[in-house]
Amino acid sequence: MAVRENLSKVSTLALRSRREGLAKLLPPLVEVLRGSLMERYLTCGKPYCKCARGERHGPVWYLSVTLDQSHRTGSTVPPGQVEQVRRWIENYHQVKERLEKISDINRELLRRQKNQDKPKKRAEK
Ligand SMILES: [Zn+2]
């Protein structure tokens, strides 16, 4: 988990422009992929293949995706797709990180708004 900046000292104007900047910098949302790319050594299933004796094939690139707490899926990635998959995964993390930052800013802005709306305790005249 990244260290969260303390936003309470940053001016509202700066927070708003920071939020604007974060939203502008988002990578194309159609080019995202959640998962991890890893190298794997596989068995082919042929009983007399060398891989059945422990000498597995590979490495091959493999995309592993967690679906929920007990389910995973994945598939091999051909060499020609590796760069694209890598970039899309990177985009996914960037989008997620920026959404998280925007969300932090919005929470801080909401807090300030709430404090402003509070009726002043000081009695007028
Ligand atoms: Zn084999």
Side-chain angles (χ1 to χ4, degrees):
M1 216 39 193
V3 182
R4 283 191 143 77
E5 189 189 348
N6 180 8
L7 297 175
S8 64
K9 301 266 161 44
V10 185
S11 77
T12 299
L13 196 67
L15 286 179
R16 290 218 171 102
S17 82
R18 195 185 288 186
R19 186 175 64 170
E20 207 64 36
L22 286 163
K24 257 184 217 152
L25 283 172
L26 286 179
L29 289 182
V30 291
E31 294 181 9
V32 296
L33 190 63
R34 186 174 60 76
S36 351
L37 192 61
M38 52 186 71
E39 280 182 309
R40 279 232 174 139
Y41 292 82
L42 304 172
T43 52
C44 66
K46 291 176 194 149
Y48 299 109
C49 184
K50 61 177 182 175
C51 69
R53 300 190 303 270
E55 218 183 305
R56 294 175 168 217
H57 304 280
V60 293
W61 287 104
Y62 189 84
L63 176 71
S64 174
V65 182
T66 305
L67 298 177
D68 59 47
Q69 285 182 341
S70 48
H71 296 90
R72 288 183 148 270
T73 187
S75 56
T76 56
V77 178
Q81 281 187 344
V82 169
E83 273 321 300
Q84 187 184 38
V85 167
R86 228 193 269 282
R87 201 173 62 244
W88 287 8
I89 290 174
E90 172 63 19
N91 285 349
Y92 178 85
H93 288 294
Q94 278 189 20
V95 169
K96 203 177 156 194
E97 194 188 306
R98 285 181 192 150
L99 287 181
E100 206 48 45
K101 283 183 178 168
I102 291 171
S103 182
D104 283 349
I105 290 173
N106 283 343
R107 231 174 39 245
E108 174 62 20
L109 291 174
L110 281 173
R111 193 184 62 82
R112 288 179 194 187
Q113 213 173 27
K114 190 163 72 182
N115 288 344
Q116 265 176 8
D117 293 346
K118 241 182 232 164
K120 296 269 186 297
K121 282 200 180 126
R122 182 160 32 96
E124 304 284 323
K125 276 226 161 156

